[in-house]
Amino acid sequence: MAKHQGLGRGLDALLEESELPEQFSENGVQLKDNSPVALNLPEGISSDENGTLWVDPSLLKPNPHQPRTYFDDEKLAELTESVRQEGILSPVIIEDAQDGTFFIIAGERRTRAARAAGLEKIPVQLRKYSEQRKLEVALIENIQRTDLNPLEEAQAYYDLMELGNLTQDQVAERVGKNRSTVANCLRLLKLPEDIQKALVTDTISPGHARAILSLENDSDRRLLFARIVGQGLSVRQTENAVHEMKTGSAVSSASGSASVRKQRDPNLEALEQKLIDRLGTKVQLKGGFEKGTISINYFSSSDLDRIFSLIVPDANL
């Protein structure tokens, strides 16, 4: 089967650019007469008869440029069970931190799973990388093995541009993505903090976020976000809402999406919409005009402060 070419140079190509001396194998073991002989291995690293390097996973520190900040507990539990049964099949790539510990360049999920599974030793490859290369390897490994959330990916592209003084075109080439994909991803970093939070928690999708960013005015963006969350708009409905906000005319829809709403008092619905518009977040009125509850959503501490200041403008926190 032909090797997949969708990731540009790919992780293997990056690994070939290790700065270890040429007399070392890919595991950081010197080759002599076609037999691996350990030479000057850091304390904590051991080598077996096959030249495989092993280390206690408790000695491993996260990559300082690890783009992933969120680890799904359910998926990590599944990986832990697999590691408990089969061990670590693909070595973790590490770098000597010069203090008796080692940085994980690629393989943090496997390391976390190994610790959770109670493994005392895991296979590793010992490498040496520039700061830029650490980020490249971690980013490409995450893209190849398990998806980053959109904001983690965007931040990784931005950090790669900053570290290497690279253009969007150069970043796209290095990670095997289209330039438009990288550019659209980077735009997500322009979203306000609370909308970014909603994206990370899947309250809105990247399609919703791109539609919000197509509006130039910040107040319009926040108003649209409130409608998405408050009314549960699909991406298509959100795009139609953008068209309406830009042109002042609604897009006709054969689906008749408004008709699927539950029948409610139109005056109560209008009041709810006014609260959504005013507070810029999801608001639900449950009950009627005589009694009921008001539910107001917020997505960060700053978002809570913003909403509170709108409700109680003269209060001193």
mmCIF file of all heavy atoms in Angstrom, residues 238-261:
data_model
loop_
_atom_site.group_PDB
_atom_site.id
_atom_site.type_symbol
_atom_site.label_atom_id
_atom_site.label_comp_id
_atom_site.label_asym_id
_atom_site.label_seq_id
_atom_site.Cartn_x
_atom_site.Cartn_y
_atom_site.Cartn_z
ATOM 1 N N THR A 238 -27.210 29.514 10.633
ATOM 2 C CA THR A 238 -26.317 30.601 11.046
ATOM 3 C C THR A 238 -25.831 31.374 9.832
ATOM 4 O O THR A 238 -25.780 32.620 9.850
ATOM 5 C CB THR A 238 -25.111 30.034 11.821
ATOM 6 O OG1 THR A 238 -25.589 29.331 12.974
ATOM 7 C CG2 THR A 238 -24.182 31.147 12.262
ATOM 8 N N GLU A 239 -25.481 30.672 8.770
ATOM 9 C CA GLU A 239 -25.053 31.350 7.542
ATOM 10 C C GLU A 239 -26.180 32.195 6.961
ATOM 11 O O GLU A 239 -25.951 33.299 6.456
ATOM 12 C CB GLU A 239 -24.576 30.312 6.525
ATOM 13 C CG GLU A 239 -23.280 29.609 6.948
ATOM 14 C CD GLU A 239 -22.937 28.422 6.073
ATOM 15 O OE1 GLU A 239 -23.843 27.969 5.309
ATOM 16 O OE2 GLU A 239 -21.792 27.936 6.135
ATOM 17 N N ASN A 240 -27.397 31.685 7.049
ATOM 18 C CA ASN A 240 -28.550 32.473 6.589
ATOM 19 C C ASN A 240 -28.729 33.715 7.458
ATOM 20 O O ASN A 240 -29.076 34.801 6.954
ATOM 21 C CB ASN A 240 -29.823 31.625 6.633
ATOM 22 C CG ASN A 240 -29.824 30.529 5.576
ATOM 23 O OD1 ASN A 240 -29.035 30.561 4.620
ATOM 24 N ND2 ASN A 240 -30.694 29.535 5.743
ATOM 25 N N ALA A 241 -28.490 33.557 8.761
ATOM 26 C CA ALA A 241 -28.607 34.699 9.673
ATOM 27 C C ALA A 241 -27.555 35.753 9.357
ATOM 28 O O ALA A 241 -27.826 36.965 9.429
ATOM 29 C CB ALA A 241 -28.469 34.233 11.121
ATOM 30 N N VAL A 242 -26.355 35.309 8.977
ATOM 31 C CA VAL A 242 -25.302 36.243 8.582
ATOM 32 C C VAL A 242 -25.734 37.023 7.344
ATOM 33 O O VAL A 242 -25.579 38.248 7.273
ATOM 34 C CB VAL A 242 -23.980 35.487 8.298
ATOM 35 C CG1 VAL A 242 -22.971 36.400 7.611
ATOM 36 C CG2 VAL A 242 -23.408 34.932 9.595
ATOM 37 N N HIS A 243 -26.312 36.300 6.373
ATOM 38 C CA HIS A 243 -26.795 36.959 5.156
ATOM 39 C C HIS A 243 -27.846 38.005 5.492
ATOM 40 O O HIS A 243 -27.826 39.131 4.957
ATOM 41 C CB HIS A 243 -27.377 35.916 4.200
ATOM 42 C CG HIS A 243 -27.972 36.499 2.957
ATOM 43 N ND1 HIS A 243 -27.215 36.846 1.858
ATOM 44 C CD2 HIS A 243 -29.260 36.811 2.641
ATOM 45 C CE1 HIS A 243 -28.010 37.345 0.912
ATOM 46 N NE2 HIS A 243 -29.257 37.336 1.367
ATOM 47 N N GLU A 244 -28.742 37.650 6.389
ATOM 48 C CA GLU A 244 -29.812 38.573 6.783
ATOM 49 C C GLU A 244 -29.242 39.800 7.489
ATOM 50 O O GLU A 244 -29.676 40.925 7.246
ATOM 51 C CB GLU A 244 -30.792 37.855 7.703
ATOM 52 C CG GLU A 244 -31.978 38.707 8.123
ATOM 53 C CD GLU A 244 -32.974 37.937 8.977
ATOM 54 O OE1 GLU A 244 -32.804 36.714 9.124
ATOM 55 O OE2 GLU A 244 -33.902 38.572 9.507
ATOM 56 N N MET A 245 -28.235 39.584 8.351
ATOM 57 C CA MET A 245 -27.647 40.709 9.086
ATOM 58 C C MET A 245 -26.860 41.632 8.159
ATOM 59 O O MET A 245 -26.795 42.840 8.371
ATOM 60 C CB MET A 245 -26.740 40.179 10.201
ATOM 61 C CG MET A 245 -27.492 39.430 11.293
ATOM 62 S SD MET A 245 -26.416 38.614 12.512
ATOM 63 C CE MET A 245 -25.876 40.029 13.465
ATOM 64 N N LYS A 246 -26.265 41.055 7.108
ATOM 65 C CA LYS A 246 -25.471 41.864 6.194
ATOM 66 C C LYS A 246 -26.329 42.609 5.176
ATOM 67 O O LYS A 246 -26.011 43.730 4.780
ATOM 68 C CB LYS A 246 -24.464 40.977 5.448
ATOM 69 C CG LYS A 246 -23.282 40.530 6.290
ATOM 70 C CD LYS A 246 -22.310 39.711 5.447
ATOM 71 C CE LYS A 246 -21.041 39.374 6.222
ATOM 72 N NZ LYS A 246 -20.077 38.598 5.415
ATOM 73 N N THR A 247 -27.413 41.971 4.734
ATOM 74 C CA THR A 247 -28.219 42.538 3.654
ATOM 75 C C THR A 247 -29.570 43.075 4.109
ATOM 76 O O THR A 247 -30.209 43.835 3.380
ATOM 77 C CB THR A 247 -28.460 41.486 2.557
ATOM 78 O OG1 THR A 247 -29.276 40.425 3.089
ATOM 79 C CG2 THR A 247 -27.140 40.910 2.064
ATOM 80 N N GLY A 248 -30.016 42.624 5.278
ATOM 81 C CA GLY A 248 -31.325 43.050 5.759
ATOM 82 C C GLY A 248 -32.462 42.241 5.190
ATOM 83 O O GLY A 248 -33.627 42.522 5.474
ATOM 84 N N SER A 249 -32.148 41.199 4.398
ATOM 85 C CA SER A 249 -33.206 40.363 3.825
ATOM 86 C C SER A 249 -32.955 38.912 4.221
ATOM 87 O O SER A 249 -31.817 38.445 4.243
ATOM 88 C CB SER A 249 -33.218 40.472 2.294
ATOM 89 O OG SER A 249 -31.983 40.073 1.749
ATOM 90 N N ALA A 250 -34.034 38.216 4.540
ATOM 91 C CA ALA A 250 -33.936 36.822 4.979
ATOM 92 C C ALA A 250 -33.746 35.896 3.791
ATOM 93 O O ALA A 250 -34.205 36.175 2.679
ATOM 94 C CB ALA A 250 -35.184 36.424 5.751
ATOM 95 N N VAL A 251 -33.066 34.780 3.991
ATOM 96 C CA VAL A 251 -32.902 33.741 2.977
ATOM 97 C C VAL A 251 -34.083 32.793 3.089
ATOM 98 O O VAL A 251 -34.379 32.277 4.167
ATOM 99 C CB VAL A 251 -31.582 32.973 3.178
ATOM 100 C CG1 VAL A 251 -31.467 31.859 2.166
ATOM 101 C CG2 VAL A 251 -30.397 33.922 3.078
ATOM 102 N N SER A 252 -34.746 32.556 1.968
ATOM 103 C CA SER A 252 -35.889 31.650 2.005
ATOM 104 C C SER A 252 -35.412 30.238 2.291
ATOM 105 O O SER A 252 -34.358 29.818 1.838
ATOM 106 C CB SER A 252 -36.637 31.678 0.664
ATOM 107 O OG SER A 252 -35.784 31.255 -0.373
ATOM 108 N N SER A 253 -36.199 29.488 3.031
ATOM 109 C CA SER A 253 -35.832 28.120 3.393
ATOM 110 C C SER A 253 -37.013 27.208 3.196
ATOM 111 O O SER A 253 -38.100 27.449 3.711
ATOM 112 C CB SER A 253 -35.367 28.062 4.851
ATOM 113 O OG SER A 253 -35.155 26.732 5.238
ATOM 114 N N ALA A 254 -36.785 26.146 2.405
ATOM 115 C CA ALA A 254 -37.868 25.204 2.153
ATOM 116 C C ALA A 254 -38.162 24.349 3.371
ATOM 117 O O ALA A 254 -39.204 23.726 3.472
ATOM 118 C CB ALA A 254 -37.497 24.301 0.974
ATOM 119 N N SER A 255 -37.212 24.336 4.296
ATOM 120 C CA SER A 255 -37.398 23.465 5.458
ATOM 121 C C SER A 255 -38.381 24.027 6.455
ATOM 122 O O SER A 255 -38.905 23.301 7.293
ATOM 123 C CB SER A 255 -36.052 23.244 6.154
ATOM 124 O OG SER A 255 -35.555 24.468 6.656
ATOM 125 N N GLY A 256 -38.621 25.349 6.366
ATOM 126 C CA GLY A 256 -39.558 25.950 7.312
ATOM 127 C C GLY A 256 -39.114 25.738 8.738
ATOM 128 O O GLY A 256 -39.872 25.255 9.572
ATOM 129 N N SER A 257 -37.827 26.097 9.019
ATOM 130 C CA SER A 257 -37.247 25.793 10.323
ATOM 131 C C SER A 257 -38.009 26.435 11.461
ATOM 132 O O SER A 257 -38.045 25.901 12.565
ATOM 133 C CB SER A 257 -35.789 26.252 10.365
ATOM 134 O OG SER A 257 -35.687 27.638 10.098
ATOM 135 N N ALA A 258 -38.617 27.587 11.224
ATOM 136 C CA ALA A 258 -39.335 28.259 12.306
ATOM 137 C C ALA A 258 -40.537 27.448 12.756
ATOM 138 O O ALA A 258 -40.971 27.536 13.909
ATOM 139 C CB ALA A 258 -39.787 29.650 11.845
ATOM 140 N N SER A 259 -41.087 26.638 11.847
ATOM 141 C CA SER A 259 -42.300 25.895 12.181
ATOM 142 C C SER A 259 -42.039 24.740 13.116
ATOM 143 O O SER A 259 -42.973 24.211 13.713
ATOM 144 C CB SER A 259 -42.956 25.373 10.895
ATOM 145 O OG SER A 259 -42.092 24.440 10.271
ATOM 146 N N VAL A 260 -40.747 24.346 13.256
ATOM 147 C CA VAL A 260 -40.466 23.212 14.126
ATOM 148 C C VAL A 260 -40.375 23.624 15.585
ATOM 149 O O VAL A 260 -40.278 22.785 16.463
ATOM 150 C CB VAL A 260 -39.150 22.518 13.700
ATOM 151 C CG1 VAL A 260 -39.239 22.060 12.271
ATOM 152 C CG2 VAL A 260 -37.955 23.432 13.908
ATOM 153 N N ARG A 261 -40.335 24.906 15.855
ATOM 154 C CA ARG A 261 -40.312 25.347 17.228
ATOM 155 C C ARG A 261 -41.587 24.964 17.951
ATOM 156 O O ARG A 261 -42.671 24.943 17.379
ATOM 157 C CB ARG A 261 -40.155 26.870 17.301
ATOM 158 C CG ARG A 261 -38.760 27.372 17.016
ATOM 159 C CD ARG A 261 -38.715 28.838 17.343
ATOM 160 N NE ARG A 261 -37.357 29.339 17.305
ATOM 161 C CZ ARG A 261 -37.014 30.520 17.768
ATOM 162 N NH1 ARG A 261 -37.918 31.290 18.323
ATOM 163 N NH2 ARG A 261 -35.763 30.921 17.686
#
